[in-house]
Amino acid sequence: MGDDPMERTKLEAARALAAARLFGGEKARRDVLCWLARLGVPERDRGDVAGQVWLQAWKSWRTFDPRRGSAARWLNRIAVHVVAHYHERARHRWEELTAELPDPVDPAPDAADAMASRRVEVRIVEALGEIDPKLGAVLVAHDLEGIPMARMAEAARMSLSTLYKHRARALAALRAVLEREGDLERKGKP
């Protein structure tokens, strides 16, 4: 950089202008989201990954030198780096059971219990038809067909936590239908 005060003043002015464009402008935010889309980040994760890009940019701002290139190009390199790490970590994400599943217990040891058990199954399937089909599909796929939630989230292009929230809403809706029709005791009543 040298000891030339004029050169140092120009450099500081260029850095200040670049900082104003990057950290204060809407265009830079839109550019980052556009780059993330082009780099293959699913829409459900773009906000989080964009936050990582901005955090990394803020942490490394002192290394920005306007003589070596534009601020947008510098930010793009950071975005590419963050997305590369995002994709690398994505390869290692999956839902894993943490404990051994117990052996299933026979719910119907005799004929009368078998018939009662079958009636309950039929009623649950009927109640599933009365709730929102999107919510019911989550219960059928995961709880009845045994499809892992991570695979379902990937196929639906939504985050795993969102899918678990859908499942919780589906269970609550199913419970409400069963309680309303007297198939379950209402909460709080013996």
Side-chain angles (χ1 to χ4, degrees):
M1 184 159 71
D3 290 333
D4 183 15
M6 196 66 152
E7 182 68 28
R8 196 173 319 137
T9 304
K10 286 180 186 178
L11 182 62
E12 288 172 6
R15 283 178 52 85
L17 180 62
R21 285 184 181 153
L22 282 184
F23 299 111
E26 185 61 34
K27 182 181 180 333
R29 288 188 199 100
R30 284 192 314 266
D31 287 346
V32 168
L33 291 174
C34 184
W35 295 334
L36 297 180
R38 284 190 218 147
L39 292 168
V41 176
E43 187 174 358
R44 69 177 184 267
D45 294 337
R46 281 187 206 142
D48 292 337
V49 176
Q52 292 173 3
V53 169
W54 288 109
L55 179 63
Q56 189 61 37
W58 181 257
K59 285 181 177 179
S60 60
W61 177 247
R62 62 180 170 71
T63 66
F64 173 69
D65 186 352
R67 295 173 296 187
R68 293 172 52 196
S70 71
R73 193 172 185 124
W74 174 81
L75 185 61
N76 181 267
R77 283 193 302 268
I78 291 173
V80 168
H81 180 76
V82 168
V83 169
H85 285 286
Y86 164 82
H87 286 304
E88 180 61 31
R89 287 187 311 268
R91 290 186 194 143
H92 302 290
R93 285 186 215 128
W94 62 81
E95 184 177 17
E96 201 174 301
L97 296 176
T98 57
E100 285 293 318
L101 294 175
D103 290 332
V105 178
D106 183 7
D110 61 20
D113 286 342
M115 289 184 345
S117 177
R118 181 68 184 139
R119 277 194 300 271
V120 169
E121 288 175 16
V122 167
R123 182 58 199 124
I124 288 174
V125 170
E126 289 173 354
L128 278 171
E130 297 177 35
I131 67 173
D132 180 359
K134 288 181 182 178
L135 296 178
V138 172
L139 288 179
V140 169
H142 180 68
D143 295 298
L144 299 179
E145 296 175 6
I147 298 173
M149 292 291 276
R151 190 175 339 145
M152 290 170 49
E154 187 176 310
R157 297 178 184 233
M158 65 174 57
S159 71
L160 190 57
S161 65
T162 300
L163 192 61
Y164 273 111
K165 289 175 187 171
H166 285 296
R167 182 175 177 271
R169 279 190 229 128
L171 288 170
L174 182 63
R175 175 176 284 283
V177 167
L178 293 172
E179 285 176 349
R180 183 180 64 233
E181 299 190 7
D183 294 317
L184 285 178
E185 291 181 10
R186 287 183 171 34
K187 288 182 182 178
K189 288 189 176 182

